[in-house]
Amino acid sequence: MSRYTTPLLLSGALLLGATTAQAAMPTEATLYKNPQCGCCDEYGRHLEEMGIDVTIIDDVELGKIKEASGVPYGLGSCHTIEMGDYIIEGHVPMAAIEKLFEEQPDIDGIGLAGMPIGTPGMPGPQQEPYEVYQFTDRQDASFITL
């Protein structure tokens, strides 16, 4: 019976670790966008498929939202998301968002400039690496390359 104890404890610890990482992911998000932007709606649907309740607000000046959120000049995208204590700028792949909430760094948020093809909400295959940046006080640095 004791030969099963170690594998069972190890399996339980791994399962608990996976559950804890997932538990850090917020269950709600607010997506600010232009009313005519369909790819932003698709990104919202992608988040909902991941179990996140998304509130879409499309009657605000995005420039003011980005400025207030600290998004670095020139690195914006078509939508800005408030999620937990962070800002998610643009079509950031879920792997980067999961990393953000697993590590919980002391930053304002992460983003992916432009509207890269193949990201959630943007049809087509990935054509180049996605350079996801992190930002604090409008200053950017590399976060992850996907």
Side-chain angles (χ1 to χ4, degrees), residues 28-41 43-44 47 54-69 71 76-84 86-91:
E28 297 179 348
T30 302
L31 188 150
Y32 299 94
K33 69 178 213 59
N34 181 302
Q36 290 81 29
C37 191
C39 66
C40 298
D41 292 326
Y43 192 87
L47 290 177
V54 179
T55 300
I56 295 178
I57 299 175
D58 60 6
D59 61 351
V60 295
E61 281 191 51
L62 281 176
K64 289 183 179 182
I65 295 291
K66 292 176 190 316
E67 185 177 337
S69 299
V71 174
S77 185
C78 56
H79 61 262
T80 302
I81 299 169
E82 290 178 354
M83 190 174 193
Y86 294 105
I87 299 298
I88 313 295
E89 178 64 19
H91 292 264

Side-chain angles (χ1 to χ4, degrees), residues 74-140:
L75 294 179
S77 185
C78 56
H79 61 262
T80 302
I81 299 169
E82 290 178 354
M83 190 174 193
D85 292 333
Y86 294 105
I87 299 298
I88 313 295
E89 178 64 19
H91 292 264
V92 176
M94 190 54 73
I97 295 173
E98 289 170 344
K99 174 181 165 72
L100 173 68
F101 286 102
E102 285 172 7
E103 296 179 0
Q104 297 188 0
D106 185 20
I107 61 175
D108 292 339
I110 60 174
L112 183 59
M115 298 163 63
I117 292 176
T119 55
M122 295 299 297
Q126 181 174 351
Q127 297 187 357
E128 59 189 18
Y130 302 135
E131 301 294 337
V132 178
Y133 63 90
Q134 64 184 25
F135 61 93
T136 301
D137 297 327
R138 291 181 182 61
Q139 301 299 312
D140 65 283

Side-chain angles (χ1 to χ4, degrees), residues 38-53:
C39 66
C40 298
D41 292 326
E42 289 299 318
Y43 192 87
R45 279 191 274 284
H46 174 72
L47 290 177
E48 287 173 340
E49 289 170 2
M50 298 293 145
I52 299 166
D53 183 29

